[in-house]
Amino acid sequence: MRTCYTGCMEIRELIREYLSYLRIERGASPLTVKGYEHDLALYEQHLADAGVTELAEVDRAAVLGFEAAIMAQGFAPATCKRRMAAVKALHKFAVREDFTQANPTAAIPLPKMPQRLPDVLTISQVCTMLDLADDASPAGLRDRAILEVLYGCGLRASEAAGLDMPDLFLDDGFLRVFGKGAKERIAPIGGAAVRALARYLEEGRAPLSMKARELRPQDASAVFLNARGGRLSRQSIHKLVARAGAGIGVEGLHPHTLRHSFATHMLEGGADLRAIQEMLGHADISTTQIYTHIDRTHLQEEYLSAHPRAKR
């Protein structure tokens, strides 16, 4: 273990050490590391503007000054919370690695966020969107399969993009999914999602793969391929979901909305919250509990519309 209890370390060096820890020891995704790098660069710049460059010079006032600065700039509450969480994680890491004994963020709570329920589609909207999907071409078959898998399995866009052929166990009814931090989980799949994925694999993937020229080894077994035969990107999945949403009059539809819709419709259908937690890959049940609030809202709407003494 390192023994540098004096804090004799530059903030820039500490951030570099922490990002390396995220990449190598935690196995964080490149996107996650990039987010932390951006947020901590802002923190470093704020401290430097205040004349603070050494870890030993950072105190509670300096951290609160950064929090006040980002809140004054009008960032969304979620952005402020994320940036402060990155700062707290950085200083917690510094203590754990014996770079210092002092954690100036220990008594600073994360900014509170107004409770906001995630957007969800109705079952009717989802069915209409999927029925309108054009599956007359290899790319259309692929897009239909992606939409079915996102909604049918509750996958993140990055998880769908990262699927490889050995991850598919369609005869057994499940996918092997690698989520945040490369954590592996099993996602059940059935019905329309299996049929759409199987049809894409039989009729659509081969024509797309024939267009491949020089592929990276890690892309050769990708399930979802782009027009050049390489792995379809997360950004491309975002675009195709947005196009599908526009087709039913929902502008800016996000893949995560399909994930939220999956969880909400599962809960409304009687699924156990713990089971939904496992299917979504949530580490903490409290993350999944947000869907109970959506379910209560749904129940209240049903009550108000159906009960003879509750109608306004």
Side-chain angles (χ1 to χ4, degrees):
M1 295 288 287
R2 302 175 182 86
T3 54
C4 182
Y5 288 122
T6 61
C8 51
M9 186 181 206
E10 289 189 351
I11 297 297
R12 180 169 299 179
E13 182 185 353
L14 173 63
I15 293 174
R16 189 161 50 243
E17 289 275 353
Y18 180 59
L19 294 177
S20 177
Y21 160 77
L22 287 178
R23 275 191 300 266
I24 299 170
E25 296 188 37
R26 292 290 301 274
S29 70
L31 193 66
T32 297
V33 175
K34 185 177 180 181
Y36 273 92
E37 185 175 16
H38 174 71
D39 292 341
L40 293 175
L42 295 177
Y43 179 56
E44 180 196 352
Q45 185 60 55
H46 172 83
L47 294 177
D49 291 344
V52 177
T53 59
E54 299 283 335
L55 177 59
E57 299 170 337
V58 182
D59 57 14
R60 188 170 185 270
V63 176
L64 289 174
F66 175 68
E67 181 179 34
I70 58 176
M71 294 183 77
Q73 292 175 49
F75 290 109
T79 301
C80 295
K81 183 176 182 179
R82 189 196 70 222
R83 288 179 176 164
M84 288 304 297
V87 170
K88 287 175 72 69
L90 176 72
H91 285 283
K92 186 177 180 180
F93 168 79
V95 173
R96 187 173 63 248
E97 294 295 305
D98 291 336
F99 292 130
T100 181
Q101 284 183 304
N103 182 352
T105 70
I108 300 177
L110 289 174
K112 291 185 178 180
M113 288 180 59
Q115 188 175 27
R116 179 179 175 272
L117 298 180
D119 295 328
V120 297
L121 298 179
T122 65
I123 294 176
S124 175
Q125 285 177 310
V126 173
C127 291
T128 301
M129 179 185 69
L130 295 174
D131 288 342
L132 289 175
D134 179 12
D135 55 6
S137 66
L141 287 169
R142 176 203 63 201
D143 293 353
R144 171 69 180 265
I146 289 173
L147 292 172
E148 291 280 10
V149 167
L150 290 176
Y151 173 68
C153 305
L155 266 57
R156 302 177 177 93
S158 58
E159 293 169 346
L163 283 174
D164 288 321
M165 294 300 290
D167 298 327
L168 307 185
F169 300 87
L170 300 189
D171 289 341
D172 297 316
F174 70 88
L175 309 176
R176 180 173 57 193
V177 179
F178 293 92
K180 291 184 176 180
K183 291 181 180 178
E184 180 181 337
R185 75 177 188 276
I186 297 301
I189 183 171
V194 165
R195 291 192 294 273
L197 185 52
R199 188 180 171 203
Y200 159 68
L201 294 175
E202 292 170 4
E203 304 175 28
R205 187 177 183 276
L208 291 172
S209 65
M210 289 175 63
K211 299 180 181 180
R213 294 179 181 175
E214 293 184 9
L215 285 181
R216 298 180 301 173
Q218 60 267 40
D219 288 351
S221 65
V223 172
F224 296 117
L225 305 177
N226 59 31
R228 298 179 302 280
R231 184 184 297 276
L232 192 70
S233 69
R234 180 180 59 86
Q235 291 83 356
S236 295
I237 292 179
H238 279 254
K239 290 178 181 177
L240 77 86
V241 170
R243 286 197 303 270
I248 59 169
V250 178
E251 296 300 324
L253 182 63
H254 193 280
H256 233 65
T257 303
L258 297 183
R259 179 171 159 89
H260 293 320
S261 302
F262 160 83
T264 302
H265 298 163
M266 287 286 291
L267 191 64
E268 290 175 357
D272 178 73
L273 194 64
R274 288 284 182 186
I276 295 173
Q277 177 192 3
E278 288 189 28
M279 285 184 269
L280 292 175
H282 287 161
D284 194 327
I285 190 67
S286 63
T287 309
T288 319
Q289 283 173 337
I290 185 68
Y291 298 109
T292 63
H293 298 296
I294 301 174
D295 190 45
R296 289 178 196 138
T297 302
H298 166 76
L299 291 176
Q300 185 181 44
E301 290 173 351
E302 291 293 311
Y303 169 74
L304 291 174
S305 65
H307 196 282
R309 300 288 290 176
K311 295 177 181 178
R312 295 169 183 172

